[in-house]
């Protein structure tokens, strides 16, 4: 799972020295996909980087550093990169406070906005583009599962899109389990994508239900692909007052994809949306299933609007 902690920190410091030399401050604002952040731009390439501040008590320091060190070591082409972090004291009106400043690559555009823009002009993704999105999500899921980690907060909003149409997924591990989709629904009463087993957990009012984290993320990816493939949000199938997901609505959405996408591709989406978690694959199992079900394409990126 990467090099030693000292090696990681040394690499982090080198990257931060480069950052301070080559980036300029732009603005501070609240990004609904992440949190409040300060935005910086690289002088030479004009690429963007976000500074996120995590205040902490002394007892929390080691846990935060461990989380950030893990993010530095787990680099994947489809995960939003953590450039580095620093620990320091910050002066404030009410006295000094301990903070960790984390630096992440940042992109303005995301899959949620892309779907919104396409819906306005009725411009559907072609199958090559949808396959690229799906493969990117699955690759990250496999990568995390192989490292005994999981995401837990997959949404179209945290699938960032680069100007070249490449997928970059924000790593939920930088924040906390309280930001998982289930905790948002259980604590915050927010309507989010949940698997049938997590809807049952809500119904039973269970704070930490027992479920397969990978199979739940797989179901979420199936919903995200329905959203992208139809340009309609499958949240319409969720009835939070009864803690149910309407399978008829989901089947209707799947049927609507028939006119635009191959049966082979749609069959792959149906596999992800199996309501029976015992028959729904995790990410490792998907690798073998999709080898024979999902079409292959050479040109892998999106034509972003």
């Amino acid at each position: 799972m990467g090099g030693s902690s000292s090696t990681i920190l040394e690499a982090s410091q080198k990257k931060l020295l480069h950052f301070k030399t080559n980036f300029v401050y732009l603005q501070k604002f609240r990004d609904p996909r992440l949190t409040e952040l300060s935005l910086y731009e690289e002088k030479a390439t004009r690429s963007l980087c976000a500074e996120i501040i995590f205040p902490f008590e002394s007892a929390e320091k080691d846990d935060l550093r461990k989380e950030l060190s893990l993010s530095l070591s787990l680099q994947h082409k489809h995960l939003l990169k953590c450039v580095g972090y620093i620990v320091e004291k910050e002066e404030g009106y009410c006295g000094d406070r301990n903070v960790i400043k984390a630096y992440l690559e940042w992109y303005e555009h995301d899959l949620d906005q892309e779907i919104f823009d396409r819906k306005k002009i009725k411009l559907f993704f072609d199958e090559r583009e949808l396959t690229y999105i799906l493969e990117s999500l699955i690759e990250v899921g496999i990568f995390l599962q192989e490292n005994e980690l999981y995401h837990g907060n997959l949404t179209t909003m945290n699938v960032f899109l680069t100007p070249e149409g490449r997928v970059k997924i924000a790593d939920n591990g930088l924040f906390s389990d309280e930001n998982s989709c289930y905790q948002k629904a259980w604590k915050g009463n927010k309507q989010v994508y949940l698997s049938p087993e997590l809807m049952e957990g809500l119904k039973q009012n269970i704070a930490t239900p027992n479920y397969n984290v990978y199979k739940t993320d797989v179901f979420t990816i199936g919903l995200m692909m329905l959203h992208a493939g139809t340009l309609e949000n499958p949240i319409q199938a969720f009835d939070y007052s009864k803690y149910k997901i309407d399978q008829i609505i989901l089947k209707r959405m799947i049927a609507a994809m028939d006119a635009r996408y191959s049966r082979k591709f749609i069959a792959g989406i149906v596999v992800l949306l199996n309501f029976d978690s015992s028959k729904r694959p995790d990410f490792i199992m998907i690798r073998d299933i999709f080898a024979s079900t999902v079409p292959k394409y050479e040109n892998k990126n999106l034509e972003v609007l």
Side-chain angles (χ1 to χ4, degrees):
M1 293 185 61
S4 68
S5 178
S6 60
T7 302
I8 292 166
L9 290 174
E10 182 181 344
S12 173
Q13 296 304 321
K14 288 179 180 178
K15 288 181 179 179
L16 286 171
L17 179 61
H18 169 82
F19 175 81
K20 290 179 179 180
T21 305
N22 296 282
F23 281 75
V24 294
Y25 172 79
L26 294 181
Q27 61 175 313
K28 186 174 185 176
F29 68 101
R30 183 168 187 81
D31 185 337
R33 303 168 300 181
L34 297 172
T35 184
E36 186 171 302
L37 56 83
S38 295
L39 196 62
Y40 291 81
E41 182 181 70
E42 188 172 23
K43 297 172 187 176
T45 65
R46 302 195 70 180
S47 61
L48 299 172
C49 185
E51 176 191 74
I52 300 176
I53 298 176
F54 298 90
F56 67 90
E57 300 297 329
S58 297
E60 301 171 321
K61 180 179 177 181
D62 288 343
D63 287 341
L64 274 170
R65 290 183 71 162
K66 183 179 179 181
E67 200 72 63
L68 287 160
S69 294
L70 182 62
S71 292
L72 282 166
S73 67
L74 292 173
Q75 299 289 333
H76 188 279
K77 65 180 180 179
H78 292 307
L79 273 177
L80 209 63
K81 287 182 182 177
C82 178
V83 177
Y85 68 91
I86 54 175
V87 183
E88 63 182 23
K89 282 190 180 293
E90 190 177 71
E91 293 182 0
Y93 294 112
C94 300
D96 295 346
R97 63 173 183 168
N98 295 315
V99 300
I100 287 182
K101 294 181 178 179
Y103 298 88
L104 312 173
E105 64 178 340
W106 185 88
Y107 300 96
E108 182 177 11
H109 203 44
D110 57 53
L111 182 57
D112 196 72
Q113 185 63 49
E114 181 72 15
I115 292 172
F116 179 81
D117 293 343
R118 285 172 177 264
K119 184 176 180 178
K120 287 191 295 185
I121 58 175
K122 297 181 180 179
L123 178 63
F124 288 85
F125 293 98
D126 61 37
E127 188 166 300
R128 176 190 60 80
E129 292 175 310
L130 278 192
T131 300
Y132 169 65
I133 297 170
L134 177 58
E135 286 181 343
S136 302
L137 293 166
I138 297 300
E139 283 178 25
V140 168
I142 291 171
F143 177 73
L144 293 176
Q145 185 172 344
E146 287 178 337
N147 285 280
E148 299 182 347
L149 300 167
Y150 73 102
H151 198 285
N153 188 31
L154 287 168
T155 70
T156 51
M157 286 185 69
N158 59 27
V159 178
F160 287 52
L161 299 177
T162 73
E164 299 77 28
R166 302 292 181 184
V167 164
K168 294 279 188 174
I169 299 165
D171 176 14
N172 190 50
L174 282 177
F175 304 101
S176 71
D177 288 340
E178 292 184 359
N179 285 331
S180 72
C181 284
Y182 183 78
Q183 289 301 317
K184 288 177 181 177
W186 187 72
K187 288 185 176 181
N189 199 30
K190 293 184 179 179
Q191 296 194 4
V192 294
Y193 293 164
L194 293 178
S195 64
E197 54 269 29
L198 286 187
M199 289 294 281
E200 182 61 26
L202 275 186
K203 183 178 180 180
Q204 301 298 329
N205 197 29
I206 301 172
T208 54
N210 183 26
Y211 64 100
N212 185 304
V213 293
Y214 306 113
K215 291 186 176 186
T216 289
D217 275 354
V218 163
F219 190 87
T220 300
I221 289 174
L223 294 172
M224 292 166 67
M225 297 311 300
L226 269 189
H227 193 179
T230 63
L231 306 184
E232 298 291 339
N233 197 332
I235 199 68
Q236 63 188 280
F238 285 71
D239 186 342
Y240 272 84
S241 65
K242 297 179 180 177
Y243 305 102
K244 291 185 178 297
I245 306 172
D246 192 327
Q247 294 190 60
I248 295 176
I249 292 177
L250 294 186
K251 287 178 180 178
R252 190 182 303 139
M253 295 181 74
I254 291 168
M257 295 177 68
D258 277 340
R260 297 181 181 87
Y261 308 109
S262 69
R263 289 185 178 180
K264 198 173 183 181
F265 179 81
I266 294 172
I269 305 305
V270 171
V271 168
L272 307 181
L273 291 171
N274 195 321
F275 269 58
D276 185 344
S277 62
S278 67
K279 297 179 181 178
R280 189 188 319 136
D282 62 19
F283 289 105
I284 303 301
M285 296 162 66
I286 282 177
R287 180 163 47 197
D288 296 329
I289 295 171
F290 277 22
S292 59
T293 57
V294 175
K296 304 300 179 188
Y297 295 93
E298 293 297 325
N299 188 17
K300 296 186 175 182
N301 68 327
L302 304 181
E303 300 295 331
V304 294
L305 297 184

